[in-house]
Amino acid sequence: MDDRQFRTAMGRFATGVTVIATEVEGEAHGMTANAFMSVSLDPKLVVISIGEKAKILNKIKESGIFTVNILAADQQEMSMIFAGQIKDRQVEFGRLDNKPVLPGAIAQVACEVSAEHVEGDHTLFIGKVTDIHLEEKEPLIFFNGKYRSLEEQPAVL
Ligand code: FAD
């Protein structure tokens, strides 16, 4: 099995898109990620997976906090900015529980790091959820390497 086949298989899992954000010395930093899931209801825990080369990795380790911002259908540009595909844009962050959050996200989830595990070339951060803010909008979807929306398609019979 080669890397391409593995990536193709993983890309067949349709996901939402998030921007993970953290802050060190008053400076907010974000990164696009879809490796996110809910882990536990009691206590409320989530997990994210960050690649070893990502600049945000050491920033989360240093700050001990992160937020997960689940993008709305109209935020594809934000996904591209925080994936390094659109350069040199200023993005203003808001605040939730004194942590940086992305305005316009359909869910903002503020977390404190409760554990981290290095697995292969990624680090899994377990986040204890400290606050949540919701907005009622449609989500951005990522499938097979492309952005999609939940707009209904005519049924093919
Ligand atoms: P960085 O330079 O750290 O940041 C990425 C971009 O965000 C840069 O262009 C930077 O200018 C911009 N940026 C950061 N902070 C700000 C700010 N405050 N204001 C304005 N712009 C800012 N990687 C993973 O590790 N885990 C995943 O789960 C994951 N899922 C992904 C899902 C999708 C749909 C996509 C497209 C990418 C995903 N990636 C994931 C890859 C990851 O987003 C890129 O590798 C990453 O953006 C590159 O990180 P970096 O450390 O090199 O870039």
Side-chain angles (χ1 to χ4, degrees):
M1 183 217 321
D2 64 12
D3 289 1
R4 169 57 43 200
Q5 195 179 22
F6 181 78
R7 280 168 174 270
T8 302
M10 297 306 116
R12 300 233 165 129
F13 187 53
T15 66
V17 182
T18 80
V19 170
I20 307 298
T22 193
E23 187 174 77
V24 174
E25 290 169 3
E27 203 172 312
H29 190 94
M31 191 195 83
T32 301
N34 63 352
F36 160 67
M37 76 173 189
S38 161
V39 171
S40 160
L41 187 60
D42 184 18
K44 293 181 179 54
L45 301 173
V46 298
V47 65
I48 56 171
S49 178
I50 305 291
E52 63 186 356
K53 293 189 181 131
K55 294 196 187 79
I56 201 167
L57 179 63
N58 284 330
K59 293 178 192 288
I60 295 176
K61 287 183 181 197
E62 196 178 332
S63 66
I65 59 111
F66 63 88
T67 66
V68 181
N69 301 272
I70 301 176
L71 298 187
D74 61 5
Q75 290 187 304
Q76 183 179 325
E77 193 179 42
M78 286 297 152
S79 176
M80 295 176 77
I81 290 171
F82 289 102
Q85 294 158 348
I86 297 177
K87 310 271 183 206
D88 301 325
R89 291 284 177 86
Q90 267 316 107
V91 177
E92 293 294 324
F93 284 83
R95 309 293 294 172
L96 178 69
D97 193 31
N98 204 28
K99 300 172 180 70
V101 285
L102 200 61
I106 58 173
Q108 300 168 336
V109 183
C111 301
E112 284 166 5
V113 174
S114 71
E116 58 183 84
H117 307 274
V118 178
E119 295 293 343
D121 56 10
H122 277 57
T123 297
L124 305 180
F125 288 100
I126 307 292
K128 181 172 180 289
V129 177
T130 58
D131 206 349
I132 279 178
H133 173 78
L134 300 173
E135 286 188 26
E136 295 307 318
K137 294 199 287 183
E138 291 293 304
L140 182 63
I141 305 293
F142 197 69
F143 172 65
N144 250 356
K146 292 198 177 80
Y147 294 101
R148 318 268 178 141
S149 72
L150 278 186
E151 256 174 45
E152 277 190 41
Q153 303 291 326
V156 180
L157 299 173

